[in-house]
Amino acid sequence: AQKVTQAQTEISVVEKEDVTLDCVYETRDTTYYLFWYKQPPSGELVFLIRRNSFDEQNEISGRYSWNFQKSTSSFNFTITASQVVDSAVYFCALSEAYTGGGNKLTFGTGTQLKVEL
Amino acid sequence: SAVISQKPSRDICQRGTSLTIQCQVDSQVTMMFWYRQQPGQSLTLIATANQGSEATYESGFVIDKFPISRPNLTFSTLTVSNMSPEDSSIYLCSAKDVFTTDTQYFGPGTRLTVL
């Protein structure tokens, strides 16, 4: 069975601080995808990144960066120089990956990030 | 990426009634999904909406309570039947086209309150 753990329920930081959101996953699949989604107070789920299990390269997109370590089954997300607009709930998710079919997303419990002035 | 809209965006309903939520995608997609997010909780998959056949439900969800339609490749509906206050949640639709992407994109959600 697949499982995603986000141990940090809530994080509060002051604007311009760096913050890392942790994600640890469990799966028996050898091929899988990992995702991060952002859910602002409006409720919409916004896709941030997808990572294939074969691709362990870290990725940077503006102030966002992701560190994927297969050896520790972790896919952590760092926001550099946080801003108030980053305040949201962030979900890490895992799906199996196979051709020809849909893939069920297993979500973590989410981390509420509050960025204050 | 697919753009997904949902109607209604929110509703307040009385116990015992039913509500149908619509999900529209701006392009043809192979897979559509319905999720429930109870207050302060994570997302739980209700079912996969299959075009031209019955939906595939996850454990704990049944067709009588959550009937789903998928008449074509861009549209789906979820009905929450015989509602009780425990059904108060955000209901989210997502879509994925297996031939072009491995990512599910989500609609804005429907906030349902049952009194």
Side-chain angles (χ1 to χ4, degrees):
Chain A
Q2 297 184 327
K3 184 179 179 182
V4 177
T5 301
Q6 295 180 256
Q8 304 153 307
T9 304
E10 185 173 321
I11 301 175
S12 290
V13 299
V14 176
E15 204 175 34
K16 297 185 183 177
E17 285 186 5
D18 299 347
V19 58
T20 295
L21 310 181
D22 298 332
C23 174
V24 175
Y25 63 92
E26 297 175 27
T27 180
R28 295 179 184 170
D29 297 327
T30 55
T31 305
Y32 50 89
Y33 290 107
L34 293 162
F35 302 82
W36 276 95
Y37 288 88
K38 173 183 179 180
Q39 188 175 44
S42 59
E44 182 174 0
L45 216 61
V46 179
F47 165 71
L48 296 178
I49 190 171
R50 180 189 76 237
R51 177 58 82 225
N52 184 305
S53 56
F54 292 130
D55 182 4
E56 288 195 67
Q57 272 193 330
N58 292 331
E59 180 153 343
I60 298 175
S61 176
R63 296 185 297 107
Y64 295 170
S65 62
W66 291 270
N67 181 268
F68 176 31
Q69 293 199 347
K70 215 168 176 178
S71 60
T72 56
S73 297
S74 66
F75 186 43
N76 296 336
F77 173 30
T78 297
I79 301 174
T80 303
S82 59
Q83 300 176 1
V84 173
V85 294
D86 296 326
S87 297
V89 180
Y90 291 85
F91 290 98
C92 181
L94 167 70
S95 75
E96 58 192 355
Y98 58 92
T99 57
N103 40 16
K104 172 183 173 180
L105 280 173
T106 300
F107 283 86
T109 50
T111 297
Q112 170 81 59
L113 174 65
K114 294 184 178 178
V115 182
E116 300 167 335
L117 292 172
Chain B
S1 63
V3 176
I4 302 168
S5 59
Q6 284 184 235
K7 287 195 295 188
S9 58
R10 59 178 64 230
D11 207 341
I12 301 173
C13 301
Q14 296 297 320
R15 180 195 298 261
T17 62
S18 298
L19 175 72
T20 296
I21 302 169
Q22 298 179 7
C23 178
Q24 179 74 54
V25 188
D26 70 340
S27 59
Q28 293 187 342
V29 291
T30 45
M31 309 295 295
M32 294 181 75
F33 307 85
W34 286 98
Y35 290 81
R36 181 176 73 181
Q37 185 179 23
Q38 294 177 302
Q41 303 296 314
S42 187
L43 284 79
T44 302
L45 180 64
I46 297 172
T48 302
N50 303 310
Q51 195 267 330
S53 64
E54 276 195 6
T56 304
Y57 289 84
E58 296 297 305
S59 175
F61 297 96
V62 295
I63 188 171
D64 290 346
K65 176 66 175 177
F66 297 103
I68 287 171
S69 78
R70 176 95 189 268
N72 57 51
L73 292 175
T74 64
F75 186 78
S76 178
T77 66
L78 168 75
T79 299
V80 186
S81 304
N82 188 24
M83 289 184 285
S84 66
E86 292 70 36
D87 294 319
S88 298
S89 297
I90 299 175
Y91 292 86
L92 295 111
C93 167
S94 73
K96 182 176 103 76
D97 183 61
V98 298
F99 298 110
T100 59
T101 180
D102 294 301
T103 298
Q104 284 186 35
Y105 294 95
F106 285 79
T110 296
R111 289 180 185 269
L112 172 61
T113 301
V114 184
L115 303 176

